[in-house]
């Protein structure tokens, strides 16, 4: 019944009926010939696409079968989207891909391409047990479905209405006519399931959460493998698109520059300092990023399209091919007819291509044309691929609740696997019976693999689960800092002196926090040639507080540059750049603005190592100006004191330097950790302390500090998760635990208490994630009285974590909190009513001591 068309059994039955009913062509066609007279694909190439599509379809059926008895944990499938196999065929297996979660056929095709590239053609033999049961062997040695034109020399049929130029910057028409014939891919082996067995096993392992799954290791079912240049993405809607733009920007930059900033050919090496790495993809690679039609409406997608178009408008090249797979639905929500085409055509700076995903020849021809255009022009384009969705959104989705039988039947009529079968039969390349035999053979092989992976081990402990999350190698980080010091004082001394105009910062006298950060950034740029600083206002203006002043003049606009005003895009650029081999240091202008883009940190940055077992990483140091206490300038957008969302992200490093003499070594640590371990660090800079000079009295200069010479960097190294302790008086009576602005206020309070005979130790946490728990426990136990001074809010603030750490460790002394009120920070003098003050700290300490 039509009400049952979303069931696996019904889809399987209907496909069998379709193949059985296909009439054989009157004449057989040589598979080495074009599948039709004017097609860009041979019959053998289309047969390869059919095998990839069938493998994907059988994997979907296997996923539902596994779930039926509780052994499968993921049923979002690719049925109806199998036309994306032709997109994969039109690309190169070295083009990095971020894939939509309905990309099973793409994944299978890419795996076959990569295997063919690694195996000489004269050694590639199909497995004996995977031939069609009919006895008719598929043709071998034919040209691949990869962009190479058949021997006839015919060009792909191109609909002149299909490609829409974004504006006056378009390439000449004559160039467009030649690009479609450019070879794009690699020969996949022909011969049925053998070419796709490894890919099928990968996907099945993801479905059953096997710890032997090659990319996520049982942590999630994702499409990804480093050797296939497929970067894993989570199912967060559209969140990977800003990263794709960043990857495109980085790929284009890295293909032009070697480690010394000179133009180079193939084999780009990025950097010579800690964490130097080879650019992971060929110089002419393009980035491909697929997503669904519902994602077009997401803010992250809008940000990505806008950023790509914005840079293209400014003549900065970003070679990204967006692929929108449009099945007309977002779970149960319909996409209005024509909306996707209308909105994608309207994106400035992004060229529009369109194809019917049920037509493998057209899909391949258009995808090859689009890929060739992006590869040659190094500009962004979007391929609008019209698809259908079969078997619903996922296993529990009953489409009959929101779709009519007629609509479901229409989708079945556009089944892309059946369409490929019809093409092959009509062309005389195969009969329906032969294709059904291939389908059944693939189904048997997939079911056999499914039964094999059922017995594979799962992640067995919490330690197993988190082992790939954020590895910490403090000794290597310390060694990287030492190596940087040796370079700065040795072979790099001349370049360093030149960069600082002959006067290195250690000779400049006492510095403010802002000046120290500026000098440390400059030293970082000298030691990490792959490092780039970018964000709103960081280049020409030098930052709204002058923290990046002069860096663009020293290091050039390619390494220090302004971005458009969009935090999601700023972080996305950083994520993509890090993945491509750079060391990005993006700036978020104010902490309050970070909340616009939190998912780029949580859902994209912090999850990369977790979902790839370290095969991919996106090292990044995000500088954020934040916290409160700005004099004469305020309101909650510029005095935000909320860091709870940062501390809640697993694996994220959160650093808060309070003093100039901590800022430089902490920044060096973050840069080294990003380069060595691929860490994602947030360097939260207290705005109110940027230009502070005094501690106890006007003019005392006690908040200034000298910048250490490279020879002192090792001795002054600050490991992640280590606090700093200040001792005032005897330091025996009270422990104050604080950070950021609280350090200065607590030291002032401690001076007042010292006059009353109270000895205090002030603990500057310095790191909010991970918290320096060992230091907290040691310094708290030394006095038995703990005052936690938390400039963030009482609910969800840092103080909660400190108190919890004390309780978990069995601390039995007295403890008290002084924290900001659960309120946004108001404008002007009213802020004093909700923020912590030195007087409140003193009063809190006296209350605690009186117990």
């Amino acid at each position: 019944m039509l009400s049952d068309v979303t069931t696996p059994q019904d889809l399987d039955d209907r496909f069998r009926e379709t193949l059985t009913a296909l009439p054989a062509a009157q004449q057989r066609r040589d598979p080495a010939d074009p599948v039709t007279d004017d097609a860009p694909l041979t019959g053998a190439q289309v047969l390869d696409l059919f095998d990839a599509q069938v493998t994907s379809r059988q994997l979907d059926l296997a996923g539902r079968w596994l779930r039926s008895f509780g052994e499968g944990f993921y049923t979002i499938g690719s049925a109806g989207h199998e036309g994306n196999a032709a997109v994969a065929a039109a690309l190169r297996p070295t083009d990095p891909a971020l894939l939509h979660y309905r990309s099973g056929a793409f994944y299978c095709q890419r795996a076959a391409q990569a295997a063919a590239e690694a195996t000489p053609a004269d050694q590639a033999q199909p497995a004996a047990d995977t031939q069609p049961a009919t006895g008719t062997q598929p043709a071998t040695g034919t040209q691949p479905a990869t962009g190479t034109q058949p021997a006839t020399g015919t060009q792909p049929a191109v609909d002149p209405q299909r490609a829409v130029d974004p504006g006056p910057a378009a390439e000449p028409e004559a160039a467009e006519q030649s690009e479609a014939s450019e070879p794009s891919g690699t020969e996949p082996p022909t011969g049925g399931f053998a070419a796709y067995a490894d890919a099928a096993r990968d996907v099945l392992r993801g479905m059953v959460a096997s710890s032997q799954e090659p990319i996520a290791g049982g942590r999630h079912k994702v499409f990804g493998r480093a050797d296939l240049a497929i970067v894993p993405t989570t199912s967060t809607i559209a969140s990977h698109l800003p990263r794709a733009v960043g990857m495109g920007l980085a790929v284009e930059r890295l293909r032009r520059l070697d480690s010394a900033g000179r133009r180079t050919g193939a084999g780009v090496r990025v950097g010579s300092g800690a964490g130097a790495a080879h650019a992971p993809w060929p110089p002419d690679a393009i980035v491909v990023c697929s997503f669904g039609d519902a994602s077009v409406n997401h803010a992250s997608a809008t940000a990505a399209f806008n950023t790509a178009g914005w840079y293209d408008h400014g003549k900065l090249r970003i070679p990204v091919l967006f692929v929108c797979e449009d099945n007309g639905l977002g779970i149960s929500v319909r996409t209005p007819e024509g909306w996707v085409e209308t909105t994608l055509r309207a994106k400035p700076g992004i060229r529009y291509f369109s194809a019917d995903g049920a037509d493998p020849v057209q899909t391949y021809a258009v995808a090859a044309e689009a890929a060739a255009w992006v590869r040659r022009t190094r500009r962004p384009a979007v391929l609008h691929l019209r698809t259908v969705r079969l078997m619903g959104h996922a296993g529990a989705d009953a489409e009959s609740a929101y779709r009519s039988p007629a609509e479901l039947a229409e989708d079945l009529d556009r089944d892309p696997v059946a369409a490929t079968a019809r093409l092959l039969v009509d062309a005389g390349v195969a009969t329906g019976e032969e294709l059904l035999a291939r389908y059944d053979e693939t189904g048997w092989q997939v079911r056999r693999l499914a039964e094999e992976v059922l017995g594979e081990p799962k992640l067995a402990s919490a330690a197993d689960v988190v082992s790939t999350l954020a590895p910490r190698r403090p000794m290597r980080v310390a060694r990287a800092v030492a190596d940087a010091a040796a370079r700065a004082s040795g072979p790099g001394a001349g370049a360093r002196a030149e960069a600082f105009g002959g006067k290195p910062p250690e000779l400049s006298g006492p510095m403010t926090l802002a000046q120290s950060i500026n000098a440390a950034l400059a030293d970082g740029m000298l030691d990490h040639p792959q490092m780039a600083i970018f964000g709103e206002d960081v280049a020409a203006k030098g930052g709204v507080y002058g923290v990046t002043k002069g860096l663009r003049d020293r290091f050039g606009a390619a390494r220090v540059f302004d971005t458009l005003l969009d935090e999601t895009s700023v972080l996305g650029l950083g994520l993509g750049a890090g993945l491509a081999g750079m060391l990005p240091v993006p700036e978020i202008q104010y902490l309050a603005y970070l909340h616009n883009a939190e998912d780029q940190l949580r859902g994209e940055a912090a999850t990369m190592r977790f979902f790839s077992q370290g095969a991919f990483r996106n090292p990044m140091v995000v500088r954020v100006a934040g916290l409160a206490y700005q004099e004469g300038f305020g309101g909650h957008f510029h005095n935000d004191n909320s860091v709870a969302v940062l501390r809640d992200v697993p694996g994220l490093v959160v650093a808060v330097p309070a003093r100039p003499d901590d800022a430089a070594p902490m920044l060096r640590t973050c840069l080294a950790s990003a380069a060595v371990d691929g860490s994602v660090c947030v360097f939260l800079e207290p705005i109110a302390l940027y230009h502070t000079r005094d501690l106890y009295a006007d003019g005392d200069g006690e908040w200034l500090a000298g910048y250490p010479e490279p020879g002192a960097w090792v001795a002054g190294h600050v490991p992640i998760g280590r606090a700093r302790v200040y001792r005032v008086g005897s330091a025996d009576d009270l422990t104050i635990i604080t950070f950021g602005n609280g350090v200065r206020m607590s030291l002032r309070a401690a001076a007042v208490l010292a006059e009353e005979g109270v000895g205090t130790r002030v603990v500057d946490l310095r790191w909010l994630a991970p918290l320096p728990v060992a230091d907290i426990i040691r310094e708290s136990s030394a006095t038995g009285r703990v005052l936690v001074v938390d400039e963030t809010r009482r609910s969800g603030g840092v103080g909660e974590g400190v108190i919890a750490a004390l309780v978990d460790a069995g601390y039995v002394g007295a403890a008290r909190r002084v924290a900001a009120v659960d309120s946004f920070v108001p404008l002007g003098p009213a802020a004093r009513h909700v923020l912590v003050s030195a007087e409140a700290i003193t009063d809190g300490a006296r209350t605690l001591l009186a117990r």
Side-chain angles (χ1 to χ4, degrees):
M1 295 177 60
L2 287 176
S3 60
D4 297 325
V5 294
T6 59
T7 67
Q9 183 65 47
D10 183 81
L11 186 62
D12 180 66
D13 288 344
R14 288 173 182 271
F15 184 74
R16 292 174 176 281
E17 293 170 5
T18 298
L19 263 60
T20 302
L22 291 175
Q26 294 182 355
Q27 185 177 355
R28 294 299 292 252
R29 182 183 295 260
D30 185 344
D33 291 338
V35 69
T36 61
D37 292 341
D38 60 348
L41 295 172
T42 66
Q45 292 171 330
V46 177
L47 201 56
D48 287 330
L49 294 179
F50 177 78
D51 287 334
Q53 292 177 328
V54 165
T55 301
S56 178
R57 177 64 57 84
Q58 292 289 5
L59 286 168
D60 287 353
L61 299 177
R64 303 299 180 100
W65 173 70
L66 289 165
R67 186 71 189 96
S68 69
F69 53 92
E71 291 290 351
F73 307 101
Y74 197 92
T75 54
I76 296 179
S78 304
H81 284 246
E82 291 94 346
N84 56 38
V87 178
L91 295 161
R92 298 174 183 171
T94 51
D95 290 330
L98 298 93
L99 297 181
H100 184 244
Y101 47 69
R102 300 193 188 278
S103 299
F106 185 111
Y107 186 80
C108 291
Q109 182 71 19
R110 172 63 66 90
Q113 287 177 304
E117 187 175 74
T119 304
D122 58 355
Q123 297 180 18
Q125 297 293 333
D129 63 348
T130 60
Q131 297 303 320
T134 62
T136 301
Q137 302 300 315
T140 57
T142 57
Q143 293 299 311
T146 56
T148 304
Q149 296 304 313
T152 62
T154 56
Q155 300 295 320
V158 178
D159 178 358
Q161 297 301 314
R162 187 177 57 232
V164 176
D165 197 302
E171 300 298 321
E173 182 68 21
E176 294 179 20
Q177 295 301 318
S178 63
E179 70 197 16
S181 62
E182 175 187 318
S184 301
T186 305
E187 295 193 13
T190 58
F193 182 70
Y196 310 100
D198 286 345
R201 186 180 288 106
D202 294 346
V203 174
L204 289 166
R205 282 173 164 165
M207 290 178 180
V208 302
S210 166
S211 61
Q212 295 182 26
E213 191 271 333
I215 189 68
R219 291 166 183 82
H220 195 43
K221 189 269 185 187
V222 296
F223 290 117
R225 248 176 60 187
D227 62 321
L228 302 183
I230 297 178
V231 180
T233 65
T234 69
S235 60
T236 304
I237 303 301
S239 64
H240 58 296
L241 271 66
R243 180 199 293 277
V245 177
M247 289 169 64
L249 185 70
V251 164
E252 186 62 11
R253 177 183 183 273
L254 294 177
R255 86 184 185 98
R256 298 173 182 271
L257 302 175
D258 65 9
S259 61
R262 298 184 297 268
R263 290 188 178 275
T264 183
V268 179
R269 182 165 178 80
V270 186
S272 58
H278 288 282
W281 306 297
D284 64 344
I286 67 173
V287 179
V288 60
C289 176
S290 63
F291 53 97
D293 54 289
S295 295
V296 167
N297 307 300
H298 198 279
S300 296
T302 299
F305 294 138
N306 185 69
T307 301
W310 189 82
Y311 277 117
D312 186 79
H313 187 77
K315 308 302 182 184
L316 186 62
R317 298 314 189 205
I318 297 182
V320 177
L321 177 60
F322 298 104
V323 181
C324 178
E325 299 182 18
D326 178 7
N327 62 29
L329 289 163
I331 306 184
S332 66
V333 179
R334 300 172 192 272
T335 297
E337 184 69 29
W339 170 249
V340 173
E341 179 176 354
T342 299
T343 190
L344 292 181
R345 281 181 180 271
K347 300 299 182 187
I350 300 177
R351 185 162 182 171
Y352 177 87
F353 295 83
S354 178
D356 180 1
D359 182 340
V361 172
Q362 187 197 56
T363 296
Y364 172 79
V366 177
E369 182 187 5
W373 187 85
V374 173
R375 197 180 309 280
R376 181 175 59 79
T377 65
R378 317 305 293 171
R379 297 176 62 195
V382 60
L383 170 58
H384 179 197
L385 191 65
R386 295 183 298 279
T387 66
V388 294
R389 189 185 72 188
L390 305 177
M391 293 197 296
H393 175 72
D397 180 29
E399 286 193 289
S400 57
Y402 55 88
R403 301 187 73 195
S404 70
E407 289 177 296
L408 297 173
E410 287 175 5
D411 276 3
L412 277 172
D413 291 340
R414 295 190 61 239
D415 182 346
V417 188
T420 304
R422 289 191 193 95
L423 174 63
L424 289 166
V425 173
D426 290 346
V429 177
T431 67
E433 291 180 354
E434 290 167 354
L435 296 180
L436 183 57
R438 294 174 87 95
Y439 176 80
D440 285 338
E441 175 67 18
T442 297
W444 183 87
Q445 295 286 358
V446 168
R447 184 67 62 91
R448 176 180 62 81
L449 290 176
E451 292 175 352
E452 287 181 7
V453 302
L454 278 176
E456 292 182 350
K458 307 292 193 293
L459 293 168
S461 66
D464 287 345
V465 172
V466 303
S467 62
T468 67
L469 180 61
R472 299 275 182 259
R473 295 179 290 184
M475 295 304 295
R476 294 193 184 188
V477 171
R479 191 183 313 129
V481 171
D483 291 344
R487 286 188 291 270
S489 59
R496 185 170 184 265
E498 181 180 356
F500 285 107
K503 187 178 182 180
E506 57 267 25
L507 301 181
S508 298
M511 290 185 168
T512 63
L513 180 70
Q515 291 169 331
S516 181
I517 294 172
N518 179 279
L521 285 170
D523 270 325
M525 294 285 277
L526 290 166
D527 192 58
H528 300 276
Q530 73 273 35
M531 178 173 158
I533 297 171
F534 52 90
E536 302 162 20
D537 301 305
V538 303
K541 185 177 176 65
V544 293
Y545 294 97
V547 180
T548 56
K549 185 177 181 180
L551 294 179
R552 186 184 68 167
D553 294 338
R554 293 181 193 174
F555 300 102
R559 299 187 64 197
V560 182
F561 57 91
D562 290 322
T563 65
L564 71 176
L565 197 155
D566 177 60
E567 287 73 26
T568 294
S569 296
V570 171
L571 292 180
L573 292 173
L575 290 170
L579 196 66
M582 295 175 63
L583 181 55
V585 183
E587 178 186 297
I588 301 298
Q589 197 166 98
Y590 290 101
L591 177 60
Y593 301 161
L594 177 66
H595 304 309
N596 301 331
E598 289 162 358
D599 188 54
Q600 290 297 299
L601 286 179
R602 178 205 171 275
E604 289 293 314
T607 61
M608 181 51 69
R609 291 192 67 104
F610 184 72
F611 285 134
S612 72
Q613 301 183 94
F616 293 100
R617 61 185 212 164
N618 39 219
M620 187 164 65
V621 179
V622 185
R623 293 182 46 252
V624 183
L627 302 177
Y629 299 99
Q630 291 189 77
E631 292 294 333
F633 183 58
H636 73 283
F637 272 114
H638 302 98
N639 281 286
D640 186 32
N641 61 346
S642 174
V643 299
V645 68
L646 295 174
R647 295 189 60 246
D648 185 57
V649 178
L652 194 69
V653 174
V654 182
V656 183
R659 287 185 51 86
D661 46 347
D662 276 334
M666 289 173 70
L667 183 55
R668 274 192 288 273
T669 296
C670 287
L671 292 172
S673 182
V676 170
D677 290 331
S679 301
V680 180
C681 306
V682 174
F683 200 73
L684 180 57
E685 302 163 6
I687 296 173
L689 298 178
Y690 269 149
H691 306 299
T692 297
R693 307 176 68 86
D694 307 320
L695 174 56
Y696 300 114
D698 291 345
D700 67 14
E702 294 276 341
W703 207 254
L704 301 174
Y707 189 87
E709 62 180 358
W713 290 0
V714 173
H717 173 57
V718 179
I720 292 175
R722 289 301 307 272
R724 177 175 182 174
V725 181
Y726 300 84
R727 288 174 169 80
V728 181
S730 67
D732 293 334
D733 302 311
L734 175 68
T735 300
I736 298 178
I737 299 175
T738 188
F739 64 95
N741 294 286
V743 178
R744 183 170 179 269
M745 291 186 292
S746 294
L747 287 172
R748 292 165 68 94
V752 173
L753 293 170
E755 295 176 355
E756 301 172 8
V758 177
T760 305
R761 53 188 67 197
V762 177
V763 179
D764 178 4
L765 294 171
R766 298 196 291 199
W767 307 92
L768 303 188
L771 281 172
V773 175
D775 296 331
I776 290 172
I777 303 307
R778 183 188 65 251
E779 300 302 325
S780 299
S781 300
T783 65
R785 296 185 183 89
V786 176
L787 182 67
V788 180
V789 175
D790 181 4
E791 65 175 289
T792 61
R793 301 165 193 166
R794 178 166 291 273
S795 298
V798 176
E800 290 181 341
V802 174
I803 296 296
L806 289 169
V807 172
D808 288 346
Y811 173 75
V812 294
R816 182 180 175 85
R817 275 194 298 162
V818 176
V821 173
D822 288 348
S823 169
F824 298 106
V825 180
L827 188 65
R832 299 170 190 164
H833 299 306
V834 298
L835 296 175
V836 173
S837 65
E839 293 74 19
I841 297 170
T842 306
D843 291 343
R846 290 171 179 148
T847 301
L848 185 63
L849 292 165
R851 288 185 178 179

